[in-house]
Amino acid sequence: SVKRRGQYVVQHACGNNWELLDSFVEIGFDCYQSIQKSAGMDLGEVMRRYGDKLCLWGGVPVEHLVGGTPAEVRADVRAAVQAARSNRGGAGYIFGSTHSIAVGTKYENFMAMVDEFVKVRDRG
């Protein structure tokens, strides 16, 4: 198996996955990616419930990268970093979008995400 070879298993799952998270842990997934706020998956709440069991990957809604403003993206970055800080000592956190860097992502929104993350990642 992949895990016997020392590899990690990352589960990408869009949508509302609250009913599946216990199974993700039980199956042995190491990381859950695509914590989609627009589908009811609040990063902070997922961190509180599963941050000690799963590395979590996400933070900035892909919808904001595509159709939002730089100010919205910057606020998303700050909220994601704050949620991650609340889970220090957990299974880990990977900052990123709630899905991928999708086709249609505005350059200025992507750069706002990177810039804001660099500004806030080492604070506090």
Side-chain angles (χ1 to χ4, degrees):
S1 88
V2 171
K3 290 189 74 115
R4 278 187 294 214
R5 294 176 186 221
Q7 301 299 309
Y8 294 102
V9 179
V10 177
Q11 174 63 36
H12 170 94
C14 300
N16 187 321
N17 294 295
W18 282 114
E19 292 184 24
L20 300 175
L21 291 179
D22 286 333
S23 296
F24 289 178
V25 171
E26 207 174 293
I27 289 166
F29 293 151
D30 297 294
C31 182
Y32 164 43
Q33 192 267 338
S34 192
I35 303 163
Q36 193 175 0
K37 184 176 183 176
S38 62
M41 300 297 295
D42 177 72
L43 177 62
E45 186 60 25
V46 176
M47 285 270 183
R48 281 187 284 286
R49 294 189 196 181
Y50 292 91
D52 61 333
K53 300 170 189 73
L54 292 166
C55 176
L56 301 172
W57 180 350
V60 176
V62 68
E63 299 90 344
H64 285 174
L65 292 171
V66 172
T69 65
E72 288 173 313
V73 170
R74 288 178 184 279
D76 293 331
V77 170
R78 291 188 300 273
V81 170
Q82 183 60 39
R85 285 189 179 129
S86 72
N87 192 44
R88 288 200 175 150
Y93 173 68
I94 301 169
F95 174 79
S97 80
T98 58
H99 188 277
S100 62
I101 305 303
V103 172
T105 293
K106 294 176 186 174
Y107 175 79
E108 61 271 18
N109 288 350
F110 178 81
M111 294 309 294
M113 179 180 74
V114 172
D115 180 64
E116 193 67 20
F117 181 71
V118 168
K119 286 179 181 176
V120 301
R121 70 179 173 194
D122 295 326
R123 291 185 205 156

